[in-house]
């Protein structure tokens, strides 16, 4: 699952010729493994915190868990693309599903009972549904929302085009022209 090789052509003033710099934008398998680990952590931490405040009718734990899922989803999609986020979704959902089952002693970490407040009663379903929905929405968002984050490299030009400009010759934001790139 390697991405294309990107090439930047820049004038090398010292050598008097062209300098060709090649960057690989490959997503290593370690990034996918990191996405799985983050998914397990998000599922575990979110499950532990999601019921906080639900009994009082102020589900601050649910909001915190959703923010955790949204931030982790954004980071994983930005770092390892849609495949990484898909792995993150599977890992976090499997962990939440496993934690919702009865334990060895018959205890339940995520109970569903006749609690007095709405959030206390339906916190389990809101957490499970929200976890999947937030990550699914992050999968459906346009790729361009995740391409120019801190983790990704600058967009580069096609071979034969001037670096820092699109095909129409307009300056691309966040890039340097060939005259500004130094060896």
């Amino acid at each position: 699952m390697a991405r294309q090789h990107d090439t930047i052509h820049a004038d090398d003033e010292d050598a008097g010729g062209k300098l060709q710099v090649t960057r690989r934008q490959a997503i290593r398998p370690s990034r996918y493994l990191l996405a799985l680990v983050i998914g397990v952590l998000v599922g575990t931490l979110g499950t532990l915190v999601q019921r906080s405040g639900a009994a009082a009718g102020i589900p601050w734990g649910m909001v915190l868990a959703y923010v955790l899922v949204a931030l982790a989803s954004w980071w994983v999609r930005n770092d390892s693309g849609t495949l990484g986020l898909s792995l993150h979704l599977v890992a976090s959902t499997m962990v939440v599903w496993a934690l919702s089952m009865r334990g060895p002693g018959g205890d339940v970490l995520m109970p569903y009972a006749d609690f007095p407040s709405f959030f206390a009663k339906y916190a389990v379903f809101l957490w499970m549904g929200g976890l999947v929905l937030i990550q699914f929405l992050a999968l459906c968002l346009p790729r361009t929302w995740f391409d120019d984050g801190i983790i990704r490299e600058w967009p580069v030009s096609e071979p034969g085009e001037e670096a820092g400009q699109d095909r129409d010759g307009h300056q691309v934001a966040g890039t340097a022209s060939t005259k500004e790139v130094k060896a």
Side-chain angles (χ1 to χ4, degrees), residues 132-147:
V132 174
L133 182 67
I134 290 170
Q135 294 179 77
F136 183 73
L137 289 175
L139 276 171
C140 293
L141 291 174
R143 181 177 55 97
T144 56
W145 289 18
F146 300 95
D147 277 349

Side-chain angles (χ1 to χ4, degrees), residues 156-177:
V156 294
S157 62
E158 297 285 328
E161 292 179 3
E162 186 174 334
Q165 294 185 352
D166 62 7
R167 294 174 196 257
D168 299 327
H170 299 98
Q171 185 70 25
V172 176
T175 61
S177 69

Side-chain angles (χ1 to χ4, degrees), residues 74-109:
W74 175 84
W75 190 85
V76 168
R77 170 97 191 259
N78 197 16
D79 184 53
S80 54
T82 54
L83 181 59
L85 185 55
S86 300
L87 293 171
H88 181 271
L89 171 68
V90 169
S92 61
T93 305
M94 295 286 287
V95 165
V96 171
W97 175 77
L99 291 175
S100 70
M101 299 294 155
R102 290 194 183 278
D107 295 337
V108 178
L109 184 61

Side-chain angles (χ1 to χ4, degrees), residues 8-13 15-21 160-163 178 183:
I8 301 174
H9 298 282
D11 292 327
D12 184 48
E13 295 173 4
K18 291 280 192 186
L19 173 70
Q20 188 175 30
V21 181
E161 292 179 3
E162 186 174 334
T178 55

Side-chain angles (χ1 to χ4, degrees), residues 40-124:
V40 168
L41 290 174
V42 164
T44 303
L45 293 175
T47 300
L48 294 176
V49 78
Q50 54 94 15
R51 290 194 65 84
S52 299
I58 305 170
W60 63 268
M62 186 75 66
V63 172
L64 184 63
Y66 286 161
V67 168
L68 176 68
V69 171
L71 289 175
S73 298
W74 175 84
W75 190 85
V76 168
R77 170 97 191 259
N78 197 16
D79 184 53
S80 54
T82 54
L83 181 59
L85 185 55
S86 300
L87 293 171
H88 181 271
L89 171 68
V90 169
S92 61
T93 305
M94 295 286 287
V95 165
V96 171
W97 175 77
L99 291 175
S100 70
M101 299 294 155
R102 290 194 183 278
D107 295 337
V108 178
L109 184 61
M110 299 185 344
Y112 173 74
D114 195 17
F115 292 111
S117 72
F118 173 80
F119 289 113
K121 184 174 184 177
Y122 296 108
V124 173

